[in-house]
Structure formats: C-alpha cells, structure tokens
Amino acid sequence: MSVVDLQKKALDLLARREHSRQELQRKLSRLDADSAEIAAALDALEARGWLSDTRFAAAYVRANAARFGRFRLEQALRELGIADALIREALDSLPEDDTELLRARTVWQKRFRERPRDEQERARQARFLQSRGFAYEVIRKVIAGLEDE
C-alpha cells in the first residue's frame, strides 16, 4: 500500500472517532503495509493536526470518566500508548465539580441502590468499585458515607 492509501484509511478511521497513534499503527499494520510507510502516513496526519494523542486522551477521559476511576482511566490510556504527561494533563482537565468521590457515588448508586447489610456485602461493593478503578480511600468514603445517611 502507498502512503496516500494508508493516510486515506487512517482518515476514515479518524472520521468515526479519535484514535491514538498506537491504535492506528496497529490497525494499519493489519493491511500488510510496510512499517516505514505506516510511520510516514501517521507523521503526515500528525503534522496536519488530524492525529493527536493529546486530543485522544482528553476525549477518552471525557467519554469514560463517569464510569471509571482515575486508576482505571490511567491504565487504559497507558495501554493505548499515551505518554504519562498527556495522561496527567487529560485527567487534570476534568471539571472541578466532577470529583472522584462524586463519580464513585454515582457508579455505586446505579449498581447497588441499597446499603450493605453485612461485611460480606460491604466487601462485594468495595470490590466492585475497586474493579472500576476507584482508590481505596474513595471507596471507604462512599461506603461509610452511605452508612451515615
């Protein structure tokens, strides 16, 4: 495949949603193209501003922050090839009123809707929030806050 064909395919993918450079590289490599041609095509897209890991990270955080905690968002972005500095920047761009505690409470309420009856139920609820990437301190506050209400 030529560099122009690879750019067209990449633009087609970018028209649907933002992608990280690593994602596009992986998808284009399935097309039996030379890695140097893929790199050249992606470099050209970055130079034009059509491919941006910064923009991808921000879009990913906006789309997934309501369901996941900071740890899970960080892990996912790292797996998608985003640099740590860009991850921090994207996570710091969350609105001030959108705290981790508020998001954890919202996720908890959608899933459980009632207080834990015993230690086993409390542990199950804590494991659920932990699997969503919320910090232990946040989980403790969510479950303890529910008992105070």
Side-chain angles (χ1 to χ4, degrees):
M1 283 190 104
S2 71
V3 174
V4 173
D5 292 335
L6 290 170
Q7 284 179 357
K8 286 180 183 177
K9 180 62 179 169
L11 275 175
D12 184 45
L13 293 169
L14 287 169
R16 293 185 185 116
R17 72 167 175 89
E18 291 287 343
H19 286 74
S20 69
R21 182 181 175 102
Q22 180 178 312
E23 276 184 306
L24 282 179
Q25 189 170 1
R26 189 183 71 245
K27 289 180 179 188
L28 294 176
S29 67
R30 295 180 194 150
L31 300 176
D32 199 28
D34 182 42
S35 61
E37 290 175 340
I38 293 172
L42 295 179
D43 288 342
L45 293 176
E46 279 183 334
R48 291 186 182 122
W50 295 340
L51 173 62
S52 169
D53 279 352
T54 304
R55 198 170 53 237
F56 169 77
Y60 186 89
V61 167
R62 273 193 313 273
N64 294 292
R67 295 187 329 252
F68 299 116
R70 188 175 184 93
F71 294 135
R72 179 107 177 241
L73 292 170
E74 279 182 41
Q75 179 186 12
L77 287 171
R78 214 170 266 123
E79 288 174 1
L80 292 168
I82 304 300
D84 287 341
L86 296 179
I87 293 172
R88 277 192 305 278
E89 184 180 318
L91 290 172
D92 291 343
S93 71
L94 286 172
E96 291 285 326
D97 59 345
D98 185 17
T99 65
E100 185 96 349
L101 181 61
L102 179 62
R103 291 194 328 263
R105 269 206 181 120
T106 303
V107 168
W108 178 90
Q109 287 171 339
K110 283 182 181 179
R111 173 78 162 122
F112 296 107
R113 296 190 180 134
E114 64 181 39
R115 298 177 183 160
R117 293 178 297 278
D118 54 21
E119 284 299 317
Q120 185 177 5
E121 179 67 16
R122 184 177 287 111
R124 186 173 81 86
Q125 291 180 11
R127 281 192 307 272
F128 169 76
L129 290 172
Q130 189 177 22
S131 74
R132 291 294 182 104
F134 294 103
Y136 172 74
E137 192 62 31
V138 171
I139 294 169
R140 188 185 63 72
K141 286 179 182 177
V142 168
I143 293 176
L146 295 171
E147 292 172 355
D148 293 339
E149 291 178 352

